[in-house]
Amino acid sequence: MKKYYIGIDIGGMSLKGAIVDNEGNILYKARVVTQVGKGNKVFIDDLKGLINKIIDENKDKEISGIGLGLPGLVDSKTGLLENAHNLQITNINFYDELKEYNVKVKACNDANVAALAENRFGASKGYSDTVLLTLGTGVGCGVIIDHKLYEGFNSKGTELGHMIIKVGGVPCSCGLNGCFEAYASARALLRLTKEKMLENKDSLMWEYCKNNIENIDGLTSFECAKKGDKAANELLDEYISYLGTGILNVCNIFRPQVILIGGGVSNQGDYLIDKIKDYCEKNYYGMKDAPKVEIKCAKLKNDAGVIGAACLVM
Amino acid sequence: MKKYYIGIDIGGMSLKGAIVDNEGNILYKARVVTQVGKGNKVFIDDLKGLINKIIDENKDKEISGIGLGLPGLVDSKTGLLENAHNLQITNINFYDELKEYNVKVKACNDANVAALAENRFGASKGYSDTVLLTLGTGVGCGVIIDHKLYEGFNSKGTELGHMIIKVGGVPCSCGLNGCFEAYASARALLRLTKEKMLENKDSLMWEYCKNNIENIDGLTSFECAKKGDKAANELLDEYISYLGTGILNVCNIFRPQVILIGGGVSNQGDYLIDKIKDYCEKNYYGMKDAPKVEIKCAKLKNDAGVIGAACLVM
């Protein structure tokens, strides 16, 4: 029997809402712009406005639950969001706030929610154990163990982006040094690209960004490497060695069946995945004894948030 | 009602067996010397000999199950041990081999079993989420999530000793470089001690080991640091920074309620724990937002193996 859920993907730019059925299909979408910096009340009013709109425009569908994915530290047991720096809201209890809808409500960190979506309906469908790494400004992470989301005590675990992979390494935005995120995020790739360009004035990358280093983006290194540029290939090898180190750590720590790569960098698809696999094959601890871990790109892209949020209440 | 279980702790030196009750009390102990290198059949005969002896000498107690902890890669679902390098045995299916006893049989990696014992009856009793790190020749690890052992897919996860904490770091026995184990094991402490002594010919550590560097042991650095030796304190600070880095990673990855330190190095007790806590307080990612993780010494010492093995079948 078809059942319908509301999934809300809360971001710094917009609140995205959708109706998702129990097979992971999106049947309706709506969004409002996020009013950052106007405090809890405005935020909650906007959220409820979006939910009301979704319900009003889908009166033929009975809603069985509301799930929320958001960029912050939310305790999924109590519903308490302590902090979402990007949204400038603090201490909101979503389960209290949304009680009036008289349906199951569940809130969770957005990277976790995306992992749940990929595991239920996306690239790792059918696998029991999945780790999703999203390579964007930072490195987000969601861990699925035995088909269920693993969050750690008080939902504060699986911050794999802040696993230190290089003692004494470069500074991370968190204040520590040498975090995985500081070496494997899209931002880290840009830093490595800039450094390499400054060392190699004859690299094709200069031409690619019209001789202005401020024009570099996440594609600069990849596009020039594909054209055979030596410096671009060297810097990508370095980037892959860091990314691969973190991935091997995930293998040794969680030993999931599959690791999914999402976020902007994953748009490189097989070109990226093949490089990661090569690195891992060469550096795989216990490879002979241990089962191989599959490495794939995530699939649901921008829809992962609303689908995953809906999964929370399915 | 009292129930009785056989716990077997299989090591390279001896097979230790015990009868453990459902409150974690050891009521009887026996052991046989491990005959390493004589192959599967001799090993299994010795194991069954030990179990038979325990049963024969405890006829008044009905045995409800047999648990095994061993230093190797064993799949706890199927009972298949693929490899135990220290014991020189391969491809033994313990569940088939011990079928004749007509009781529940469960086998698991020894570090996992120790974590289970500490969580059920030892230093982390009452906590739902525990990570045990044993600092010995290597760094062993057991992870308890929601009171249950977490092993990863095919029981091949939680190899935290081989989490890389320093890209391009010192070689590890596994063939990779920069593993946590290569910096935080008792063996790593000895290496750091030697290096520091060679750089500091006037250190008290020379006197402590009678001017022969081959006499150093796990106590050398600790004892001399306590007496105020500068070089010993410096090297311990370095060791603690590596150990602390791995511990902070465990916080960010699993976010357990408590991390237990076991193995030879943990005999330093509060002196060690206080140093670790100091390091973590100063370098704690997300400290303000995240719940603190307690850090304690393990408690059950040499009994953790048999008690934990029994816990597998409780």
Side-chain angles (χ1 to χ4, degrees), chain A residues 167-195:
Chain A
V167 167
V170 297
C172 180
S173 61
C174 75
L176 295 180
N177 286 66
C179 292
F180 182 38
E181 173 167 311
Y183 285 96
S185 62
R187 186 154 57 181
L189 176 61
L190 295 186
R191 187 189 71 237
L192 293 169
T193 306
K194 273 192 183 175
E195 286 170 6

Side-chain angles (χ1 to χ4, degrees), chain A residues 73 82-83 85 145 150 152-154 156-160 162-167 174 176 242 245 249 252-255 257 283 285 289 291, chain B residues 73 82-83 85 145 150 152-154 156-160 162-167 174 176 242 245 249 252-255 257 283 285 289 291:
Chain A
L73 291 165
E82 289 177 23
N83 236 314
H85 297 293
I145 293 175
Y150 173 64
F153 188 58
N154 284 12
K156 301 291 164 47
T158 71
E159 283 286 348
L160 295 183
H162 299 287
M163 157 177 77
I164 290 170
I165 65 162
K166 191 165 185 176
V167 167
C174 75
L176 295 180
Y242 299 133
T245 295
N249 279 359
N252 286 329
I253 293 164
F254 286 105
R255 188 67 58 192
Q257 289 170 294
N283 296 281
Y285 163 73
D289 292 328
Chain B
L73 290 165
E82 289 177 23
N83 236 312
H85 297 292
I145 294 175
Y150 173 65
F153 188 57
N154 286 10
K156 300 292 164 46
T158 69
E159 283 286 347
L160 295 184
H162 299 286
M163 157 177 77
I164 289 170
I165 64 162
K166 190 165 185 178
V167 167
C174 75
L176 295 180
Y242 298 133
T245 295
N249 279 359
N252 286 329
I253 293 164
F254 286 105
R255 188 67 55 192
Q257 289 169 294
N283 296 281
Y285 163 73
D289 291 329

Side-chain angles (χ1 to χ4, degrees), chain B residues 60-238:
Chain B
D60 58 322
K61 296 184 184 70
E62 197 192 334
I63 301 300
S64 300
I66 302 171
L68 310 165
L70 51 132
L73 290 165
V74 59
D75 187 327
S76 65
K77 275 202 185 109
T78 64
L80 182 68
L81 172 86
E82 289 177 23
N83 236 312
H85 297 292
N86 295 342
L87 306 172
Q88 296 179 37
I89 53 175
T90 56
N91 288 317
I92 293 180
N93 190 308
F94 285 104
Y95 301 169
D96 289 345
E97 292 291 348
L98 302 183
K99 212 180 267 175
E100 66 200 61
Y101 293 101
N102 289 312
V103 292
K104 189 175 171 190
V105 176
K106 198 112 188 162
C108 201
N109 175 272
D110 51 5
N112 288 345
V113 153
L116 203 54
E118 293 289 349
N119 197 246
R120 205 70 70 81
F121 301 112
S124 65
K125 190 178 170 179
Y127 293 84
S128 59
D129 301 75
T130 302
V131 173
L132 168 68
L133 299 172
T134 54
L135 311 177
T137 311
V139 173
C141 174
V143 176
I144 308 289
I145 294 175
D146 200 14
H147 299 285
K148 289 187 293 288
L149 198 53
Y150 173 65
E151 302 181 274
F153 188 57
N154 286 10
S155 307
K156 300 292 164 46
T158 69
E159 283 286 347
L160 295 184
H162 299 286
M163 157 177 77
I164 289 170
I165 64 162
K166 190 165 185 178
V167 167
V170 297
C172 179
S173 61
C174 75
L176 295 180
N177 286 66
C179 293
F180 183 36
E181 172 166 311
Y183 286 97
S185 63
R187 187 153 57 183
L189 177 61
L190 295 186
R191 188 189 71 238
L192 293 169
T193 306
K194 273 192 182 176
E195 286 170 6
K196 199 71 181 182
M197 283 173 67
L198 292 172
E199 285 165 13
N200 294 274
K201 297 290 189 182
D202 56 346
S203 162
L204 193 63
M205 293 187 282
W206 284 101
E207 194 186 314
Y208 184 87
C209 64
K210 300 189 179 72
N211 281 307
N212 181 352
I213 203 161
E214 297 312 318
N215 288 336
I216 67 161
D217 59 24
L219 295 177
T220 308
S221 53
F222 283 105
E223 291 306 317
C224 296
K226 287 172 193 167
K227 286 181 182 147
D229 183 61
K230 187 165 169 279
N233 274 293
E234 283 170 3
L235 93 84
L236 268 190
D237 285 349
E238 187 183 352

